[in-house]
Amino acid sequence: MMMIPHIPEEAPFNSDQRAWLSGFMAGLNSRLIAGESIASAPAADAAQTIHILYGTQTGNAENLAMDAAASAKSLGMAPEVRGLDDIEMDALDAMRHVVIVTSTYGEGEMPDNAQLFWEALSADTAPRLEGMKFAVLALGDTGYDGFCQAGKLIDTRLEQLGATRIATRLDCDIDFEDAAAAWLGETLPLAAEKPVAAATTTVAPNLSREATGWSRKNPYSSTMAVNRCLSGPASSKEIRHFEFDLADSGLIYEAGDALGVMPVNDPALVDLLIARLSASTETEVSGGSLGALLSTQYEISTPSRDLIAEVERRADHEELTHVVRKGDKEALDAFLWSKDTLDLISLIPEGSLNAGDFISLLKPLQHRAYSISSSPKEAEGRVHLTVASVRYHAANRDRGGVCSTYMADRVAEGASAGIFVSPNKAFRVPGNDDAPMIMVGPGTGIAPFRAFLQERRASGAKGRNWLFFGDQRRDSDFIYEDELSTMSRDGLLTRLDLAFSRDQDAKIYVQTRMKENGKALFSWLEDGASFYVCGDASRMARDVDTALGEIIVEHGGMTPEKAADYLAGLKRDKRYLRDVY
């Protein structure tokens, strides 16, 4: 009789690890039940190579790739994990067994470290890949257009080039862990040239990235040590500095990583929703009370696609029906601007949507990830964040960002919030302490660069450091002015160029300062400088990219085509890195 692998009760795994392992073994079990023979694992010296490639923006896909590698190794295979930006087409042509894990960035775009790979793969010059067997695991968010588009494009293109798909692509929403684990459990054995066996002992997923097990599903309850406003009273913004105490959590991070914060929804909005549903806080829904579920389990600020569709079906609302059925994304975005779930269900008769149906139409409440603004070498058991509180007034209600106002208003010093570290290995200070570093980070985009500068100061790095920073007005928006002044005076900050857009008639931005200093900036690049950008992706980062290209054309004496090649070279060398949102 065949024994089904299971996780012993006494095994030393937390709930998150058990969930991963359960998904993995569910995939293996499905293969066993199907009657497929499984032989013993091959010897290490004869192990089959499997290439596990990842495209990532924030680190999730890379973490999954590492987990997949740990599982492949337990099955007797020899995994090789690489970022897509490290893969040239001739190397891809030589690969025989490939699993690609990729996220999608923005509205259906490739993540930064997959863009050059995709350009080469989609080109007419891409090689035929008849000798390759592949599978694609795509990560995305159904709240955005182009859900899992990067994975879909790569999956289709590999097939077009003659590669053989060994498993149907899996498109994962934001709760991806269990589904991804089950898919890997089914797919990895299919990638083997010979039947493979499950390990004789339970093998945990690769947890080197988070040795303590703290994660999105198992956050650490951290005490807020500091909660103070950085912006001046005359500022149109509210930028705050937060410090979380790591105590004995064992949480570790590096400069360049992000911190995930688990928010709690606005109690006022929760109460208004419950009243609109003609329910009570204690109404039982899906095994919990409605008040608790709406507070900590579901997204009630941004309406889900399912909720929008259901309200459109029930409401007699000509404008909503027009934009939804026409499929006009821009018109729908304009209609939804500043609206939350309460605004949507207010379009249908009160009480016509019961609590259970409403809950079923919501997306899970997700953590918010913020660039860490401290180096662990200087923060002494704490982790710092620099966050702009989002606040606005619409339809006679005060509203705010789900997590930014949660931290600002409801997590006072001495209170606790759930946190975990999201490693971002692709966004680090230069490995060479003597290499120059150029940083562009207006507003809260300064966060990782404050961490970078602290890191270089603590390590005694000798490389030159140049920061472009700006905001609206110097007298109220120059956050961390004292720290930056000290860094400049002490020589840590070699150059500091400021751009305050509203202190003069003509607006000045960081890209303006870049172009004014284009000759020096290009010289730094020629000297081996790494170029970093952090901040808004849709406007600032695009404008900075355009300005950088123009600088290379002008001061490098290149054609636009040669400048594009120069920029591509910086990306391949991991000297042009972005942390954008």
Side-chain angles (χ1 to χ4, degrees):
M1 179 177 177
M2 185 174 296
M3 296 297 292
I4 302 298
H6 70 284
I7 306 172
E9 288 298 325
E10 65 274 12
F13 303 123
N14 61 36
S15 58
D16 197 26
Q17 295 163 0
R18 286 178 179 274
W20 195 101
L21 289 164
S22 296
F24 174 75
M25 289 192 290
L28 287 179
N29 291 345
S30 68
R31 303 259 299 151
L32 293 170
I33 294 169
E36 297 191 29
S37 62
I38 295 182
S40 59
D45 59 355
Q48 170 200 316
T49 298
I50 180 169
H51 295 275
I52 301 174
L53 313 179
Y54 63 87
T56 189
Q57 193 72 30
T58 62
N60 285 335
E62 181 179 5
N63 291 338
L64 266 180
M66 298 305 295
D67 286 347
S71 298
K73 189 173 182 180
S74 77
L75 294 171
M77 292 185 274
E80 293 187 8
V81 182
R82 299 174 68 185
L84 287 173
D85 54 352
D86 290 330
I87 306 302
E88 301 288 349
M89 287 300 103
D90 56 350
L92 185 70
D93 189 20
M95 296 178 185
R96 293 296 169 257
H97 303 88
V98 178
V99 171
I100 295 178
V101 184
T102 185
S103 62
T104 293
Y105 165 69
E107 298 288 352
E109 300 171 30
M110 292 286 164
D112 280 1
N113 85 316
Q115 186 59 47
L116 293 177
F117 171 84
W118 172 245
E119 290 173 4
L121 187 70
S122 57
D124 293 339
T125 54
R128 297 293 300 173
L129 300 171
E130 278 88 355
M132 177 188 291
K133 295 181 178 179
F134 78 96
V136 175
L137 174 57
L139 305 183
D141 183 345
T142 52
Y144 291 89
D145 284 347
F147 171 62
C148 287
Q149 184 68 13
K152 292 175 181 176
L153 289 172
I154 291 173
D155 182 64
T156 299
R157 182 57 175 162
L158 290 175
E159 183 182 43
Q160 290 173 345
L161 293 172
T164 301
R165 188 182 289 107
I166 58 175
T168 302
R169 184 192 69 250
L170 177 67
D171 297 334
C172 293
D173 204 351
I174 46 182
D175 276 338
F176 61 85
E177 289 91 345
D178 294 347
W183 184 89
L184 287 170
E186 294 179 354
T187 301
L188 290 173
L190 295 173
E193 290 178 341
K194 299 177 181 179
V196 296
T200 56
T201 58
T202 303
V203 178
N206 176 18
L207 295 175
S208 60
R209 66 181 184 273
E210 192 64 84
T212 59
W214 303 119
S215 65
R216 182 172 69 88
K217 289 193 173 183
N218 184 37
Y220 171 66
S221 182
S222 174
T223 299
M224 177 78 78
V226 175
N227 177 348
R228 64 183 174 89
C229 190
L230 294 173
S231 44
S235 176
S236 62
K237 302 181 179 182
E238 179 192 315
I239 299 178
R240 305 191 76 85
H241 175 87
F242 301 108
E243 296 183 17
F244 288 97
D245 191 345
L246 300 181
D248 59 353
S249 66
L251 272 171
I252 56 175
Y253 69 92
E254 296 183 49
D257 287 342
L259 190 74
V261 181
M262 306 301 298
V264 175
N265 284 319
D266 181 2
L269 179 56
V270 170
D271 290 343
L272 289 170
L273 280 168
I274 291 173
R276 185 71 195 182
L277 294 168
S278 299
S280 73
T281 301
E282 302 306 319
T283 298
E284 285 291 317
V285 181
S286 302
S289 70
L290 182 60
L293 292 175
L294 292 180
S295 295
T296 62
Q297 300 300 311
Y298 290 97
E299 177 67 62
I300 60 174
S301 181
T302 303
S304 70
R305 291 177 179 271
D306 288 343
L307 179 64
I308 294 167
E310 183 63 19
V311 169
E312 186 278 322
R313 187 181 69 83
R314 291 171 176 250
D316 182 16
H317 196 285
E318 183 177 351
E319 182 182 2
L320 179 59
T321 294
H322 175 75
V323 297
V324 168
R325 297 188 182 180
K326 187 179 179 182
D328 188 333
K329 178 185 179 301
E330 290 187 1
L332 180 60
D333 287 346
F335 176 82
L336 294 173
W337 181 255
S338 80
K339 291 183 174 65
D340 55 25
T341 59
L342 177 60
D343 294 310
L344 262 290
I345 65 171
S346 295
L347 298 178
I348 59 179
E350 186 171 351
S352 64
L353 185 66
N354 67 48
D357 289 342
F358 177 65
I359 286 289
S360 71
L361 297 169
L362 303 179
K363 289 173 67 71
L365 180 61
Q366 293 299 303
H367 73 279
R368 269 49 174 180
Y370 299 101
S371 301
I372 292 173
S373 59
S374 59
S375 164
K377 295 177 180 177
E378 290 199 357
E380 298 181 351
R382 293 182 178 180
V383 58
H384 300 183
L385 298 182
T386 307
V387 179
S389 301
V390 177
R391 301 184 191 275
Y392 60 102
H393 187 85
N396 299 314
R397 284 195 286 125
D398 289 326
R399 307 163 187 233
V402 174
C403 196
S404 63
T405 55
Y406 163 65
M407 289 191 292
D409 301 342
R410 302 193 297 281
V411 188
E413 294 180 3
S416 297
I419 65 170
F420 64 97
V421 173
S422 291
N424 188 357
K425 298 175 184 177
F427 201 74
R428 294 282 189 259
V429 295
N432 178 2
D433 284 350
D434 294 329
M437 185 168 66
I438 303 170
M439 301 158 285
V440 182
T444 56
I446 195 176
F449 304 137
R450 178 177 183 261
F452 280 14
L453 290 166
Q454 288 183 0
E455 182 81 6
R456 285 202 134 182
R457 178 167 59 194
S459 64
K462 302 301 181 184
R464 293 173 291 162
N465 304 304
W466 186 351
L467 174 65
F468 290 89
F469 172 77
D471 211 311
Q472 293 184 355
R473 301 188 184 279
R474 178 170 183 143
D475 62 358
S476 57
D477 299 311
F478 193 176
I479 60 174
Y480 298 121
E481 179 178 6
D482 291 345
E483 291 185 23
L484 295 176
S485 297
T486 298
M487 290 176 177
S488 295
R489 184 177 63 249
D490 293 347
L492 175 66
L493 197 48
T494 312
R495 293 192 60 160
L496 174 61
D497 280 277
L498 303 172
F500 293 102
S501 61
R502 300 185 183 180
D503 278 349
Q504 59 285 308
D505 292 337
K507 291 187 177 179
I508 295 175
Y509 301 104
V510 286
Q511 61 268 24
T512 312
R513 296 302 189 206
M514 284 172 55
K515 295 174 73 172
E516 290 174 352
N517 296 278
K519 183 177 180 180
L521 194 155
F522 183 73
S523 176
W524 278 48
L525 292 177
E526 289 289 274
D527 288 343
S530 293
F531 186 85
Y532 299 88
V533 183
C534 181
D536 172 63
S538 61
R539 295 182 296 273
M540 184 277 295
R542 291 181 188 273
D543 292 341
V544 165
D545 186 76
T546 299
L548 184 59
E550 293 173 352
I551 287 167
I552 294 168
V553 167
E554 179 179 356
H555 298 285
M558 302 182 197
T559 64
E561 292 74 22
K562 289 291 185 182
D565 290 341
Y566 187 94
L567 277 175
L570 292 177
K571 293 175 182 178
R572 276 192 296 270
D573 294 341
K574 296 179 175 54
R575 290 175 48 212
Y576 182 7
L577 302 172
R578 307 194 312 166
D579 178 10
V580 295
Y581 38 84

